[in-house]
Amino acid sequence: MKFTSRFLLPLAILFLWMPLQTHAQKAAKLAYKSAETLRKQNKCSQAIAQYDVAISEDKDNYVYYFQKGRCQYSLGRYDDAIRSFKETLKYKEHFASAYAWLARSYKNTNDQTTAANYFKLAARYESRSTIQLQYYLLLINILLDQNELVETEKYLAEAKKIGPDNPNVIFYQAELAAKRKEWTAAKISYEKALETDDLKNASDSKKAKYYYGLGLAKSQMGDMKGAQEAWAKAKFGPYTRLVAQQQKQRGPSQTYKTALSYYFTESYEESEYYANQLISAYPDFAGAYVLKGKISEKRSQPDRALYQYQKALELEKEPSKKAQTAVAMAKIYREKRQPQKAAEVLDQAVSKEARIQQNPKLLAAKAQAEIEAGFYSKAVGTLEA
């Protein structure tokens, strides 16, 4: 009889407990279903209250904590979301999605180091290769921002194993090369990414970051024409502002200095090449036309030099530079035994620009041309001025 009582008592407790447990799980599922409906309607504050009901009825279900964390994240409650995702991992230790959401939450609290560590765990435990690749890319983005270039290279190698032809993988190869100032390698990778099937028919806005990087690489290589062509295709979203910053920062001065350096070493072909690049990128840059005029003079091409100087004269806004160009044109006309033309050019320069009417070199050249042309009374007036 005693044996029977000992046996029946635990059994009775079990039978009493099971309906209670089943009832709690049903209540939890109902609350969870309600929470999910509210979440999908973007009513996350109300949804969180229902997730809490579900958790109070069934504390061991990791899904309830996880979905609650997602709602907290969408409300910008990142610290609360972090706590929920950590609770999730107590009940499902190797849940890759929870690690990924933890990483995102820490990233939004500006704790980039912790975010990177959680993306590493997310990638480690993710079994789906396409999702694993996304985690690697998010990790690489953080590592690059932190200048962790050795770590970047390590995880980029892992990403390449999964998606060697993925344009984002190739993009980060280019970004890593750019960080190391390996501009030729960066340029090749940006161009390779743009040639992938994924990007060939993609929208211009999607390709903007690739063209922006390509423009930066080309500008660092001295190819300002190529840089401007690439940047023209990158003017979407935030890249519009970044392109404007690069153009303002660099301007034509760097390429112009390169062109001048070749000119002074009598490397006229190279000098003209960079002058042409300047004109392609900055059509209103008068100095490039002046330089081409000087190169034409060195090559004994007076008519071509006059054409280039005339273009410069039309574009130049600085009076002193206009005077110099007009004097250079007058010199060629005088050498061609066309003093009337020389006087005409100088007369036009003086009449259009009051600020250079007293320029000594211009007035001297003008008087000399007028004398050679037989305009003696004009020459006297010029000299008296």
Side-chain angles (χ1 to χ4, degrees), residues 133-134 137 159 163-171 173 193 196 198 210:
L133 177 58
Q134 295 307 309
L137 293 174
D165 298 321
N166 183 290
N168 284 302
V169 173
I170 302 169
F171 171 77
Q173 284 181 259
T196 59
D198 286 352
Y210 301 90

Side-chain angles (χ1 to χ4, degrees), residues 293-305:
K294 288 180 178 180
I295 292 169
S296 295
E297 282 197 80
K298 293 290 185 181
R299 290 171 170 167
S300 301
Q301 298 171 329
D303 291 332
R304 186 169 180 78

Side-chain angles (χ1 to χ4, degrees), residues 330 334 339-344 346 364-375:
R334 287 176 51 235
Q340 291 181 346
K341 283 276 190 181
E344 183 182 324
L346 294 166
K366 182 172 181 289
Q368 189 170 0
E370 287 167 341
I371 291 168
E372 290 177 7
F375 303 147

Side-chain angles (χ1 to χ4, degrees), residues 46-58:
Q46 295 165 264
I48 288 168
Q50 289 300 306
Y51 288 128
D52 284 335
V53 172
I55 289 167
S56 68
E57 296 291 345
D58 185 2

Side-chain angles (χ1 to χ4, degrees), residues 168-232:
N168 284 302
V169 173
I170 302 169
F171 171 77
Y172 281 121
Q173 284 181 259
E175 292 284 282
L176 178 59
K179 281 278 188 180
R180 290 172 167 166
K181 301 189 185 305
E182 298 168 353
W183 298 112
T184 301
K187 170 184 169 290
I188 291 168
S189 289
Y190 288 126
E191 289 174 335
K192 183 180 177 182
L194 285 162
E195 290 168 2
T196 59
D197 291 337
D198 286 352
L199 288 185
K200 277 181 181 177
N201 299 315
S203 65
D204 291 338
S205 59
K206 188 174 180 181
K207 292 187 276 193
K209 70 177 183 180
Y210 301 90
Y211 279 117
Y212 173 74
L214 179 60
L216 187 60
K218 286 187 173 184
S219 72
Q220 292 291 340
M221 296 168 68
D223 181 4
M224 285 308 300
K225 179 184 177 183
Q228 293 294 343
E229 288 174 351
W231 282 336

Side-chain angles (χ1 to χ4, degrees), residues 252-266:
S253 59
Q254 185 177 345
T255 308
Y256 184 57
K257 286 177 182 176
T258 304
L260 280 176
S261 67
Y262 279 116
Y263 175 80
F264 289 128
T265 58
E266 300 183 1

